[in-house]
Amino acid sequence: MRDQPPEAEPVDPGRSVAQSDAHARPVADVLAQIGVDPASGLSAPDIVRRRATAGTNELATQERPSVLGMIREAMTEPFVLLLFVAGILAMIVGEVRDGLLVLVGLVPIVGADVLTTFRSENALESLRQAAAPRARVRRDRQVEDVLAADLVPGDMVLIQTGEIVPADLRLTRAEALLIDRSMLTGESIPEPGTTTPDPPDAAMADRHALAYAGTAVVSGRAEGVVVATGPATEVGRIARDLAVTERRRSPLQRELDRLVRILLVVAVGLILITTGLGFVRGHPLGANVLAGISAAIAAIPEEPPVLLAVVLGLGAYRLLRRGVLVRRLSAEETLGAVDLIVTDKTGTLTENRLALRDVLRPDGAVVDPAVRADIVRLALRAEEDAWHLDDGTRPGSFSRALLAAIGADDPGARPDPADLVAGEGPTDGHPYSLTWSRRGGATEGQVIGAPEIVLGLTLDRGVDRAAWMAVVDAEAGQGGRLLLLARATTPRDGDQPVRWSPVAVLAFADPIRADVPAAIGLARRAGIQTIVVTGDHPATAVTIARAAGIDADDVVVGTDLAGWSDAELTDRLAAMSVVARAVPEDKLRLVDVARAAGRTVAVTGDGVNDAPALQHADVAVAMGSGTAVAREASDLVLGDDSFATLMYGLREGRRIVANVQKGLVFVVSTHVALLGFILIATIAGFSQPLLPIQILWLELFIDLATSVAFEREPEEPGAMDRPPRRRDRPLLTGSLLARISLAGGFSAVAALILMLTHDGTPDHVRWLAYTSLVVAQIVRAYANRSLERPVTSLRPNGLLAGAIVMVLLAQLAIPAVPVLADAFRATPLDATDWTLVAAIALGPAVLAEVLRRTTGRVWVA
């Protein structure tokens, strides 16, 4: 029974008391000090007043930057600062016009950066809101789910197995409560929680009357009053004392870092060559400065990090809209490499919509409605969680099914909590629920759980165990979830062990999701192996697996798996499809052995016991309906729990990584073309092959194309008919870099040949060469939408096509507008010039199209 607070005015409503002596004081004293009636909870005015005092229940969070903040950050980017310094330097040495043009050119670059950041922040904000933890509280005598950030001191919070404690709580009720406090104490063994006050001088690790924010409820249920929120919690205090550490870079981020370092070395070398040759040849200082500025703009690679951030951020937002919450963006790059899925059955392959199908005994199905109803009511009394529904406890799936079978109108549907003597819910050690309760003046015991385990208890003499197992084996082939109900025939506290007598086998139907067979077939075509790991009977597991489209000829039982060595398990792994009667350790071992064998593993899970396997997986996938512990250990959360949704996520992961690769091919080929042209033109004797404003215009298009257009690129045909990408295979392999260099180098050499062979003023031949580079790049952007399939076989990318048309129109308009023509030093091109430009731009694209169509080889246009 809950302690009731005496009538007393709170000292300071909303004041956090956890750091004082809440652990050492009786529950009634704490409730009186904080000013709350545990039976009703806080009222709406109380919550508003306390939040104004205590603030939100969050640790220090990174505020979303304002638009002005985004502009300020964009203007302090190294690339922008370099251009600003270059423009000022050009004006100092007398090149006023070109210096001003460089400064003016910063405006669209900063604008594009701000727009990109704004879109990414919108996407990330949606992810943050979707991932926000929730808490179950009693307010105004009603139990409701609220955002954990909205908790205030004095809130009455309900916690149960599988949940994360949302704030520091003084426990007011605890039933078989075990809490994993390893994140605070380092002790891996769960510790009990109690309402009994601790000694006043007890250390934090010895305070069992408090449940600390961030710790995990391993078993049992409890209620507590919030005594500290946000920074005032124990984990908040620790967070303040810890220095901020840099998170590890993902493999793709490290690959981009390597690429940027290479391009930076090339950039420095090019700047030194262009300015050095200029001084050797006696060119004036202003011309040399502009040549160095042009080389710097062309060479410094600012696009790859932007590309990765935008594609991953907006990709995660797309996934969220389809019910896949990405908790860690770096997991997206791993999705495309997954070649093994270790999945649960219930809720993932099935609808997790249990319904009682049959009540069976050795002499046949129970068909008499009255007898059947009595058995179902007894089964509900055996479910430990069913006794706590009035306290706001969420019923388990079996309790929900039993309640539905009884009917909401049945006055005896819910057991009276006052009759409960003792209860113990299912755990890994005993997969059954056992209760003792008072009825009709006597105490009775009932147990319900896995049939083999219940039949392994001490049975009444004369019970035909074989007959009951025959019922189980016969029904298991129907694919149902089976529980055996038994009642005690001897007293709980007698001298002899409690003896049990089976009552009935309850068969629950959980149909396969309609879209799962197609998703399993897609996984098979994509080279992804699926292993179902379940605690069900082998016959049940086989029936469900086959209904889902999984070959289940070779079923492994958990006890057999435990007897295999790691080497034997590795040898058999590729042929496995179903593991029945599995325990959590089996799933964890499967993950560890598979990863050691070089497999990239995705694991699904929903319970506390799934957390270790999730933490060891390459991609951890939690069920949206699962426990908070599983969600905290996950990379992805499936809103509908479905295997089909997981396959959508894997499919989208392949598209995302492919689009990053296409964007990188475009970025690198552009830099190769610009760098190569400036280098060979400088060596050939041209003092300033390209102007800074010309390169800025091309850079602006690169940013827009990579950050927006490539993110929108649809999936290539047949993308899911290929084996997964190996994680250790770089996106830009040596052979691909060679093809990129060849493509960019062709554009550079062709542009130089135009300058050397074409008659006209220096400005005209430079504009002609520059136009050939621009058109070649926009054609290359579209032609490289696939590196091994003909572009004509792809679905159109309207955004990229629109960007290309806009660039072409701008390139035509610049010489016709006097102000722009003067800034770009542009001159009109005649039909012959445009023919040459078209031939240089389209030639490599046509060649690539032919090679891809006839040979299927990877080729860069």
Side-chain angles (χ1 to χ4, degrees):
M1 190 174 192
R2 279 191 203 90
D3 298 286
Q4 298 295 325
E7 295 296 328
E9 288 296 322
V11 175
D12 181 6
R15 181 174 76 88
S16 294
V17 297
Q19 301 303 327
S20 56
D21 58 352
H23 66 284
R25 297 167 57 195
V27 169
D29 288 354
V30 176
L31 292 170
Q33 179 189 6
I34 208 164
V36 62
D37 178 359
S40 59
L42 297 176
S43 64
D46 285 336
I47 295 166
V48 173
R49 185 168 61 253
R50 291 167 189 253
R51 184 171 296 120
T53 303
T56 59
N57 180 36
E58 295 178 294
L59 302 182
T61 56
Q62 184 177 1
E63 293 186 5
R64 182 176 177 178
S66 63
V67 174
L68 288 177
M70 294 179 192
I71 294 174
R72 182 170 57 251
E73 184 176 354
M75 292 181 66
T76 55
E77 288 286 334
F79 180 72
V80 174
L81 290 176
L82 171 68
L83 291 182
F84 180 78
V85 172
I88 298 298
L89 185 58
M91 294 171 64
I92 291 174
V93 298
E95 301 291 341
V96 177
R97 187 187 69 166
D98 287 310
L100 287 174
L101 287 175
V102 169
L103 297 179
V104 172
L106 291 177
V107 175
I109 290 177
V110 170
D113 194 3
V114 171
L115 177 62
T116 299
T117 303
F118 184 77
R119 290 192 64 190
S120 298
E121 282 295 326
N122 279 345
L124 291 174
E125 181 62 25
S126 298
L127 296 177
R128 282 191 287 266
Q129 291 177 2
R134 303 187 69 85
R136 197 161 175 82
V137 300
R138 179 178 288 103
R139 289 175 174 175
D140 287 326
R141 296 187 178 276
Q142 299 294 322
V143 176
E144 57 183 298
D145 287 329
V146 301
L147 289 173
D150 291 341
L151 293 178
V152 296
D155 261 324
M156 300 303 303
V157 176
L158 287 74
I159 54 177
Q160 64 187 75
T161 303
E163 295 183 345
I164 302 293
V165 180
D168 282 1
L169 310 178
R170 173 58 167 94
L171 296 174
T172 60
R173 175 171 60 89
E175 299 173 13
L177 182 66
L178 287 176
I179 297 180
D180 178 1
R181 303 198 294 176
S182 57
M183 62 169 290
L184 292 175
T185 66
E187 176 56 59
S188 59
I189 299 176
E191 301 178 31
T194 177
T195 60
T196 305
D198 299 308
D201 58 350
M204 184 270 291
D206 297 324
R207 296 178 182 179
H208 299 289
L210 292 178
Y212 292 104
T215 57
V217 182
V218 175
S219 66
R221 63 183 56 82
E223 187 170 342
V225 59
V226 175
V227 291
T229 59
T233 62
E234 188 66 27
V235 71
R237 182 190 64 77
I238 294 173
R240 290 196 305 271
D241 296 338
L242 292 176
V244 176
T245 57
E246 184 180 358
R247 298 189 64 180
R248 292 176 58 189
R249 306 280 283 173
S250 71
L252 189 51
Q253 287 173 321
R254 292 196 295 270
E255 183 177 345
L256 292 189
D257 291 343
R258 179 179 63 86
L259 177 63
V260 168
R261 286 195 298 270
I262 293 172
L263 290 177
L264 280 175
V265 172
V266 175
V268 172
L270 180 62
I271 294 169
L272 294 176
I273 291 172
T274 54
T275 54
L277 284 177
F279 283 115
V280 169
R281 290 169 176 165
H283 296 155
L285 176 63
N288 283 336
V289 169
L290 287 180
I293 292 171
S294 299
I297 296 173
I300 295 178
E302 78 282 1
E303 301 91 1
V306 176
L307 167 70
L308 183 62
V310 170
V311 173
L312 292 186
L314 296 183
Y317 180 63
R318 287 174 182 274
L319 286 168
L320 178 63
R321 293 170 63 183
R322 285 292 297 266
V324 183
L325 170 64
V326 180
R327 298 186 69 251
R328 299 177 181 89
L329 291 183
S330 60
E332 290 179 76
E333 65 188 71
T334 311
L335 287 174
V338 168
D339 62 3
L340 173 62
I341 301 174
V342 178
T343 180
D344 294 332
K345 175 182 70 65
T346 304
T348 309
L349 302 182
T350 65
E351 294 181 0
N352 198 18
R353 187 169 46 85
L354 288 177
L356 181 64
R357 186 181 67 203
D358 288 311
V359 178
L360 306 163
R361 286 173 169 168
D363 56 356
V366 177
V367 295
D368 183 276
V371 175
R372 181 183 171 107
D374 286 342
I375 292 174
V376 174
R377 291 192 191 96
L378 183 64
L380 187 64
R381 293 175 69 86
E383 290 287 353
E384 191 266 348
D385 61 356
W387 294 87
H388 305 280
L389 300 180
D390 292 339
D391 292 329
T393 297
R394 296 183 180 90
S397 55
F398 290 111
S399 293
R400 287 198 301 269
L402 292 170
L403 285 167
I406 293 171
D409 297 333
D410 190 328
R414 292 190 177 189
D416 185 351
D419 293 336
L420 182 65
V421 176
E424 189 175 0
T427 66
D428 295 340
H430 59 87
Y432 55 80
S433 178
L434 186 155
T435 62
W436 292 88
S437 58
R438 287 180 289 269
R439 186 160 63 169
T443 299
E444 65 176 14
Q446 46 271 322
V447 61
I448 188 169
E452 300 97 318
I453 304 300
V454 174
L455 288 174
L457 300 176
T458 305
L459 299 179
D460 257 354
R461 295 179 180 89
V463 171
D464 188 346
R465 188 178 186 280
W468 283 100
M469 281 305 304
V471 174
V472 172
D473 292 339
E475 188 63 24
Q478 305 300 315
R481 299 288 302 277
L482 304 181
L483 298 180
L484 178 62
L485 171 66
R487 62 173 11 128
T489 57
T490 57
R492 174 186 175 213
D493 51 1
D495 295 332
Q496 300 297 320
V498 175
R499 292 186 177 275
W500 300 91
S501 176
V503 175
V505 172
L506 286 78
F508 297 82
D510 188 7
I512 289 287
R513 292 177 181 267
D515 51 3
V516 162
I520 292 291
L522 177 64
R524 187 181 299 111
R525 292 201 315 273
I528 303 173
Q529 179 186 358
T530 303
I531 299 178
V532 180
V533 179
T534 175
D536 282 347
H537 188 282
T540 301
V542 167
T543 302
I544 294 295
R546 287 176 176 168
I550 297 173
D551 296 330
D553 296 331
D554 183 18
V555 178
V556 177
V557 179
T559 52
D560 295 336
L561 184 72
W564 294 350
S565 67
D566 286 353
E568 189 175 5
L569 178 54
T570 301
D571 290 340
R572 298 194 182 196
L573 186 64
M576 292 175 62
S577 57
V578 176
V579 179
R581 287 298 187 229
V583 295
E585 291 77 12
D586 296 331
K587 181 186 283 190
L588 174 61
R589 185 162 175 244
L590 271 175
V591 173
D592 288 341
V593 169
R595 294 193 67 203
R599 307 290 294 273
T600 301
V601 187
V603 174
T604 70
D606 59 1
V608 176
N609 50 20
D610 289 317
L614 290 170
Q615 290 170 339
H616 285 224
D618 295 294
V619 179
V621 184
M623 305 296 104
S625 64
T627 63
V629 173
R631 291 195 296 271
E632 284 296 310
S634 69
D635 302 306
L636 307 180
V637 178
L638 305 182
D640 62 358
D641 299 356
S642 175
F643 186 89
T645 304
L646 170 59
M647 282 308 302
Y648 172 80
L650 297 180
R651 186 172 199 154
E652 186 70 2
R654 291 194 179 189
R655 185 191 72 86
I656 288 170
V657 173
N659 287 351
V660 172
Q661 183 188 50
K662 294 168 189 175
L664 288 177
V665 168
F666 177 62
V667 167
V668 176
S669 66
T670 300
H671 280 279
V672 168
L674 288 176
L675 292 173
F677 175 71
I678 293 174
L679 177 61
I680 61 178
T682 301
I683 294 173
F686 292 92
S687 63
Q688 195 173 0
L690 294 178
L691 300 177
I693 189 64
Q694 294 172 342
I695 301 175
L696 282 175
W697 163 235
L698 194 53
E699 288 276 356
L700 177 60
F701 170 68
I702 294 170
D703 286 338
L704 290 176
T706 55
S707 64
V708 180
F710 280 108
E711 190 277 328
R712 294 282 297 274
E713 187 65 28
E715 177 189 281
E716 291 186 27
M720 294 301 288
D721 295 326
R722 308 170 189 166
R725 180 183 68 88
R726 288 181 51 183
R727 291 188 67 188
D728 58 354
R729 180 181 175 87
L731 289 181
L732 300 183
T733 61
S735 60
L736 186 55
L737 284 172
R739 288 176 169 85
I740 293 171
S741 299
L742 181 62
F746 172 82
S747 296
V749 172
L752 178 63
I753 291 174
L754 283 181
M755 290 187 72
L756 293 173
T757 61
H758 209 76
D759 295 330
T761 65
D763 283 345
H764 180 74
V765 295
R766 176 166 52 205
W767 181 251
L768 175 61
Y770 172 68
T771 300
S772 73
L773 290 171
V774 171
V775 176
Q777 279 310 113
I778 60 176
V779 170
R780 183 173 291 119
Y782 207 85
N784 288 329
R785 292 178 54 221
S786 173
L787 300 179
E788 57 184 270
R789 287 185 174 271
V791 176
T792 52
S793 69
L794 305 179
R795 291 161 48 196
N797 184 335
L799 188 62
L800 183 57
I804 289 172
V805 171
M806 289 180 61
V807 171
L808 278 175
L809 292 176
Q811 201 69 18
L812 286 167
I814 287 173
V817 179
V819 175
L820 294 177
D822 183 57
F824 282 84
R825 299 184 191 176
T827 58
L829 304 182
D830 57 28
T832 302
D833 295 334
W834 278 109
T835 301
L836 291 172
V837 168
I840 291 172
L842 294 174
V846 172
L847 175 62
E849 190 78 357
V850 171
L851 289 174
R852 292 168 187 162
R853 186 174 294 278
T854 57
T855 68
R857 295 174 56 191
V858 172
W859 197 260
V860 177

